[in-house]
Amino acid sequence: MYKNKTRDNRNNICGSKIKEIRKKLPEKTSQRKLADMLQMAGLDIDKNAVQRMESGERFVTDIELKSIAKVLDVSYQELLD
């Protein structure tokens, strides 16, 4: 039976990579600041949604992935590897 979860029971495969990239940004970037950056890019998201994405509790849509990649200045592929 097909399940929409990773082998380690996460709802996405990009959350841990988002967190890793966010923490490596030159200017200290909190989850709240990332949410603010995404809102400025036109994505309606809050700090709690970012936290749930990074922890794997929340699915990430393709629209969100596109905005996240743009804001973090990385490719989609980098977020999915």
Side-chain angles (χ1 to χ4, degrees):
M1 184 166 102
Y2 183 76
K3 295 181 182 180
N4 288 337
K5 296 207 180 226
T6 64
R7 288 187 178 135
D8 57 351
N9 210 33
R10 295 172 60 93
N11 288 318
N12 66 57
I13 59 174
C14 62
S16 56
K17 192 68 172 181
I18 292 169
K19 182 177 182 176
E20 177 186 323
I21 294 168
R22 174 180 63 80
K23 288 188 167 217
K24 288 182 179 177
L25 291 175
E27 185 178 326
K28 184 175 180 182
T29 305
S30 65
Q31 291 173 337
R32 179 169 308 285
K33 183 167 182 176
L34 178 57
D36 292 345
M37 292 164 63
L38 291 167
Q39 288 176 2
M40 295 296 291
L43 188 63
D44 187 20
I45 198 166
D46 64 11
K47 179 251 181 219
N48 293 330
V50 171
Q51 186 276 325
R52 290 180 22 244
M53 277 185 209
E54 289 184 352
S55 68
E57 296 174 23
R58 184 181 181 281
F59 289 101
V60 179
T61 68
D62 53 353
I63 294 166
E64 292 168 337
L65 190 68
K66 182 178 178 183
S67 293
I68 293 165
K70 183 177 181 178
V71 164
L72 294 177
D73 195 28
V74 297
S75 69
Y76 307 114
Q77 188 64 37
E78 189 171 344
L79 292 176
L80 297 174
D81 281 343

